[in-house]
Amino acid sequence: MSAHSIFEDAPIGSIVAWSDGTPRPPERFTRKLAAWRNNNSKGRLIRKEPPRSRPTYSPPAGFTLHEADFGSGGVIAIRVHRSFSVDTTLQFTVVERPVPGSVRVFDRAGDNAELVHLAPHRAAAEEWLSRHGYPNAVLDDVTADAVAADVVEGRVA
């Protein structure tokens, strides 16, 4: 799939893998392997950004994936996000879609909302939200209708 297909079709909360098409180097080549992992990984789709119009430059549409968290003792010190433009030459695949009945927790309402948590059900989302304190958070249920539309249109992962 192209990046444009991910932007148009993948629901927020999906696990998306990306690849440049090169084969994985052997483990003994640590530098080559680190460079390969930069262009071949996966993450959770947390944000879609429509194209913007600026007087001097108009950036294309894009999306952001949450790749990893680093920390210890339950405290996240670094959160790794990767943003991609729909113009990128990388290839993308939807590995997993959000399960119907799960609840997406967004940091705020509106077009610039970012997914901060995907809970298995509403009670778990409310419990997570009470511990993490996002004052403007919005809860969004994943419905079976959205998943059924993907199956009918042939977009099943």
Side-chain angles (χ1 to χ4, degrees):
M1 289 180 115
S2 67
H4 191 276
S5 298
I6 296 296
F7 181 80
E8 292 292 325
D9 300 331
I12 298 289
S14 298
I15 301 292
V16 177
W18 68 90
S19 174
D20 62 0
T22 59
R24 179 186 170 106
E27 291 290 329
R28 67 181 183 271
F29 298 114
T30 56
R31 289 184 184 162
K32 289 181 180 180
L33 187 58
W36 180 85
R37 284 186 177 141
N38 192 41
N39 287 327
N40 298 274
S41 189
K42 65 181 176 179
R44 185 171 301 276
L45 180 62
I46 61 170
R47 184 178 189 180
K48 293 181 181 181
E49 301 170 32
R52 290 180 246 152
S53 181
R54 305 275 187 219
T56 57
Y57 172 68
S58 296
F63 54 91
T64 303
L65 302 175
H66 174 236
E67 188 175 2
D69 288 332
F70 295 101
S72 64
V75 177
I76 297 170
I78 297 173
R79 185 162 273 170
V80 179
H81 291 173
R82 297 280 305 257
S83 293
F84 298 95
S85 165
V86 295
D87 296 340
T88 185
T89 59
L90 296 172
Q91 289 298 309
F92 295 86
T93 305
V94 176
V95 176
E96 176 185 323
R97 294 183 185 277
V99 178
S102 60
V103 178
R104 295 180 278 224
V105 180
F106 291 98
D107 62 348
R108 61 184 166 266
D111 292 337
N112 290 329
E114 184 176 292
L115 180 73
V116 291
H117 184 66
L118 183 64
H121 48 79
R122 185 165 284 274
E126 291 170 352
E127 190 273 328
W128 182 90
L129 196 54
S130 69
R131 289 185 291 119
H132 289 85
Y134 283 88
N136 300 322
V138 176
L139 300 179
D140 179 41
D141 294 321
V142 177
T143 62
D145 295 338
V147 176
D150 290 345
V151 171
V152 168
E153 295 176 16
R155 296 186 307 225
V156 175

